[in-house]
Amino acid sequence: MFDIIIALKETLERVIKLSKIKIFGLGGLAENGKNCYVIEIDDSIFVFDCGLKYASSSLLGIDYIMPDFSYLVKNKKRIKGIFITHGHSENMGSVSDLVGALPDIKIYATKFTKFVLEEHGVEDKNIIEIKPHKKITFDNNVSIFPISVSHSIPDALMYVVNTKDGAICYSGDFVIDPTMLGAYDMDLGKIAYVGKQGVLCLLCESSFSERHGHTSPNHRLEEYFKDIIKHNEKRIIFSLLPYHLYTINDIFNAARNTHRKIVIMGKKLQNVVNFAVKEKYLNIEEGIIGDLSNINDDNVILLVSDERANAYANVSKILHGYDKYITAKESDTVVFAEPRYDSNEKMLVKLENDLAKFGCNVVSLPKDKIILHHPSSEDIMLMIKLVQPKYYMPVKGEYRYMVNNAQFAYRLGIPKDNIILKQNGDIVEFVDGKLIESNEQIKVNDVLIDGISSEDIGELVIKDREMLSENGIVLISATISKKDKVLLVGPEVTTRGFIYVKDSADLIEEIKKICEAIIIRNITPTFVDYNKIKVEIREELSNFLYEETECKPMIIAVVQEV
């Protein structure tokens, strides 16, 4: 008996000492944007990035999509912090919403990322400013080491989570380019050093894994912009994203010594440039920045920016005469200094056509320039070689891109069983440094945001909007006497987006007859079954209208008593 007790005690001690690590995505797996990855080490939770995804036109009226934070709210006491890689919306756009749900949460970010967070409404009290290559220590021998990487925004990071079973690395967004210096520098030496110390798992981005070769030098735009400025003597309007500071820097460098003034349009872009100049992220020629008095000069350069959620809105305003300050001229050259994104490519093509019809010279990035500051196939493989992970997990990107990414790891000798392809909510579990089979899942949903509301719109609302957009609406209204239980007014028929009433008088009369019959048969001298009336109107009218028109409009019945 004593031997059994000792054996049970030893077994219990071994179980207690087991180190458990879980990795899963609340967003960012098998999709572009909404990046949010959770690493659980024993009882501690570390969250990396908290982004949003811009909605496609198929999600009618939805502006952007956030991760579902239910799991984080439920486990808020275990969260050690949110670690942001850089200041792009896909990686930090949902932070303010998370802070709303968890007011005491700590956000770890570098100086420029902190500035962007504050511009998006996150208060200073929630943000802990960190520096690259300064270790952050937590309980249970866990530490996080941020390493600088090159991207289109300053102070971008990858994170190394040090555990007793080895390091877990999250690459963030990066491009390998030795010419990017200062706040854009990538410390390849430190990344290689981490690889030599032993890396358990690497999470690496997949967004442009289908592109062959190295990204560099195709992402360098300074010479390209110089050529545009050289060959267009009249006013040039650059349309860009406000936080792609490296692109803004390329425009300023391209305009150096050309005797042109650059006018920055819009408060947000002005704030970004002012902060960048103040903190020496942006070094510009003295006297190059103009003001509103220069906007109609022949040789001026205008910088106009929009968020991706409302892409090209300011250029469209200028073209159609709605801008407060700028009026379009036929002599203008309009340069779209950002790549075409899937969500707004149709919009851009239409705007380019409209500008061409007006007479403007339109310039868009050529195909070999459309990839900006993300790794192509050779860059990803170089990262894998430097880090030398035991396990490899592609993240960030459509599933086919993650599969491409996984194939690079296999080509470099990582065993197939050590390559992890998952979707949002799927849990990757390590016990004592070994990957184990796990069918556990975290419930994840898309939170659909319309306008400034932070409430989830929900799928039912989207279905209603789809129905309205495709087939329109039919509204039936009627009034019944509360005292006499007789039909006083109606039924009246109102349609929107379904048929043109003046050309469909016979159909409207038939709709009225059907509804009147339904109402009358559900009225008794003592009781009116309003609910049954509404249900029968929807059902019978829906069948009738489909037989007559092969359309299924939304039917709303409003029956009241007076």
Side-chain angles (χ1 to χ4, degrees):
M1 184 68 178
F2 182 77
D3 291 338
I4 293 173
I5 292 173
I6 294 295
L8 287 171
K9 183 180 178 182
E10 290 175 350
T11 301
L12 183 60
E13 286 176 348
R14 284 198 300 271
V15 170
I16 290 172
K17 290 179 181 178
L18 288 178
S19 171
K20 291 187 178 181
I21 297 173
K22 293 180 180 179
I23 303 173
F24 56 91
L26 296 178
L29 299 179
E31 62 181 344
N32 287 317
K34 198 157 65 73
N35 299 293
C36 187
Y37 308 104
V38 177
I39 299 177
E40 290 191 14
I41 302 170
D42 297 327
D43 292 325
S44 299
I45 292 177
F46 302 86
V47 182
F48 294 87
D49 283 337
C50 184
L52 56 80
K53 179 169 69 173
Y54 292 104
S56 65
S57 58
S58 62
L59 291 173
L60 303 170
I62 299 302
D63 294 311
Y64 59 91
I65 306 167
M66 297 191 320
D68 183 351
F69 297 130
S70 301
Y71 181 84
L72 299 181
V73 172
K74 183 180 177 181
N75 295 276
K76 61 183 179 181
K77 292 183 179 179
R78 298 199 289 135
I79 299 174
K80 299 299 182 182
I82 314 295
F83 299 82
I84 306 299
T85 56
H86 64 282
H88 283 156
S89 294
E90 294 87 342
N91 295 74
M92 48 61 62
S94 295
V95 171
S96 59
D97 297 278
L98 180 58
V99 171
L102 301 173
D104 298 323
I105 199 77
K106 294 301 180 186
I107 315 297
Y108 292 81
T110 49
K111 181 186 287 186
F112 192 83
T113 306
K114 179 185 176 184
F115 160 74
V116 178
L117 286 167
E118 290 175 341
E119 288 283 292
H120 282 75
V122 182
E123 295 184 19
D124 178 75
K125 67 178 183 178
N126 290 104
I127 306 172
I128 298 174
E129 186 178 323
I130 60 176
K131 294 182 179 180
H133 319 135
K134 299 290 184 182
K135 185 167 68 173
I136 311 161
T137 303
F138 297 91
D139 299 333
N140 301 325
N141 297 317
V142 175
S143 66
I144 293 180
F145 188 69
I147 299 177
S148 59
V149 295
S150 300
H151 193 43
S152 59
I153 192 169
D155 289 351
L157 298 173
M158 72 177 288
Y159 285 104
V160 180
V161 186
N162 294 300
T163 78
K164 60 185 178 183
D165 295 321
I168 301 168
C169 299
Y170 169 45
S171 72
D173 293 7
F174 70 95
V175 63
I176 297 177
D177 178 5
T179 69
M180 296 178 72
L181 305 174
Y184 302 95
D185 188 26
M186 184 171 189
D187 198 326
L188 295 172
K190 283 190 172 61
I191 295 172
Y193 178 80
V194 169
K196 294 293 184 183
Q197 304 308 302
V199 172
L200 177 65
C201 184
L202 168 62
L203 285 66
C204 185
E205 77 152 314
S206 312
S207 304
F208 288 90
S209 62
E210 88 284 6
R211 293 294 297 263
H212 297 293
H214 290 282
T215 296
S216 180
N218 293 325
H219 68 301
R220 300 176 194 161
L221 298 174
E222 182 178 330
E223 294 301 320
Y224 178 71
F225 291 151
K226 276 184 180 178
D227 191 64
I228 293 172
I229 293 171
K230 178 182 176 181
H231 290 94
N232 294 277
E233 296 179 355
K234 298 292 185 178
R235 186 172 69 174
I236 302 175
I237 301 172
F238 280 92
S239 174
L240 43 82
L241 295 174
Y243 297 114
H244 280 196
L245 199 61
Y246 201 82
T247 301
I248 296 171
N249 193 67
D250 279 342
I251 294 171
F252 274 100
N253 288 343
R256 192 182 294 272
N257 299 321
T258 62
H259 305 293
R260 287 180 179 254
K261 293 285 188 181
I262 295 180
V263 179
I264 300 155
M265 304 302 298
K267 184 177 179 181
K268 176 175 284 188
L269 185 58
Q270 186 71 63
N271 288 344
V272 172
V273 172
N274 288 346
F275 181 83
V277 171
K278 176 186 172 186
E279 299 296 335
K280 296 184 169 37
Y281 292 110
L282 190 60
N283 295 312
I284 63 175
E285 183 181 9
E286 187 175 350
I288 196 172
I289 294 181
D291 54 36
L292 292 178
S293 66
N294 301 114
I295 61 173
N296 290 312
D297 294 350
D298 274 349
N299 64 344
V300 73
I301 294 173
L302 305 182
L303 301 189
V304 176
S305 71
D306 287 297
E307 294 284 2
R308 274 180 57 190
N310 197 22
Y312 319 120
N314 282 325
V315 175
S316 182
K317 284 181 182 178
I318 293 168
L319 175 63
H320 295 103
Y322 300 134
D323 189 86
K324 186 176 180 180
Y325 300 105
I326 308 169
T327 303
K329 304 176 184 177
E330 291 184 17
S331 59
D332 286 341
T333 294
V334 181
V335 183
F336 293 99
E338 295 294 339
R340 297 167 186 254
Y341 295 98
D342 293 344
S343 59
N344 54 37
E345 186 170 9
K346 289 182 180 178
M347 190 187 311
L348 176 57
V349 170
K350 182 180 184 306
L351 183 55
E352 287 174 330
N353 281 329
D354 291 343
L355 286 165
K357 289 176 183 177
F358 183 80
C360 294
N361 178 30
V362 182
V363 180
S364 296
L365 291 180
K367 288 185 177 180
D368 64 338
K369 298 288 185 185
I370 64 171
I371 176 171
L372 287 181
H373 304 90
H374 290 276
S376 300
S377 60
E378 297 294 329
D379 303 308
I380 293 172
M381 287 191 283
L382 180 54
M383 176 64 81
I384 296 170
K385 289 292 288 184
L386 289 171
V387 176
Q388 303 176 52
K390 182 178 180 181
Y391 297 96
Y392 186 69
M393 183 176 175
V395 297
K396 276 207 68 183
E398 300 290 350
Y399 197 81
R400 65 187 186 277
Y401 300 151
M402 291 166 53
V403 170
N404 286 343
N405 194 347
Q407 290 171 349
F408 302 150
Y410 184 70
R411 284 173 57 187
L412 295 177
I414 296 179
K416 190 173 182 179
D417 290 341
N418 289 18
I419 300 172
I420 305 163
L421 283 169
K422 295 290 184 180
Q423 298 193 56
N424 294 329
D426 295 341
I427 288 183
V428 178
E429 187 169 359
F430 298 96
V431 176
D432 275 356
K434 293 182 180 179
L435 180 67
I436 65 167
E437 288 290 333
S438 175
N439 295 321
E440 187 181 355
Q441 281 193 321
I442 301 296
K443 186 178 179 181
V444 293
N445 291 299
D446 284 345
V447 178
L448 309 178
I449 304 299
D450 185 357
I452 61 174
S453 170
S454 60
E455 298 297 322
D456 184 15
I457 294 299
E459 292 185 8
L460 290 177
V461 174
I462 298 301
K463 288 180 180 178
D464 284 347
R465 290 181 180 182
E466 288 175 354
M467 185 180 295
L468 285 168
S469 69
E470 291 172 2
N471 298 304
I473 184 172
V474 175
L475 175 65
I476 309 298
S477 58
T479 302
I480 297 173
S481 170
K482 184 177 182 179
K483 179 182 178 181
D484 300 325
K485 299 296 186 286
V486 294
L487 182 62
L488 294 178
V489 180
E492 300 293 333
V493 180
T494 305
T495 72
R496 291 292 183 271
F498 172 53
I499 55 173
Y500 185 53
V501 175
K502 290 183 178 180
D503 293 341
S504 308
D506 293 341
L507 182 62
I508 296 296
E509 285 302 316
E510 192 63 34
I511 292 172
K512 287 181 179 180
K513 288 179 182 178
I514 292 170
C515 295
E516 184 176 3
I518 293 170
I519 293 170
I520 290 172
R521 71 171 176 250
N522 284 288
I523 296 177
T524 69
T526 58
F527 178 71
V528 178
D529 194 336
Y530 291 98
N531 188 57
K532 192 174 180 182
I533 289 173
K534 293 176 184 179
V535 171
E536 288 185 7
I537 286 175
R538 283 197 299 268
E539 290 178 353
E540 291 188 27
L541 204 55
S542 178
N543 292 333
F544 169 73
L545 293 176
Y546 186 75
E547 289 177 3
E548 294 293 320
T549 66
E550 294 190 1
C551 291
K552 284 193 172 183
M554 178 180 286
I555 298 171
I556 297 177
V558 179
V559 182
Q560 59 184 354
E561 61 180 13
V562 293

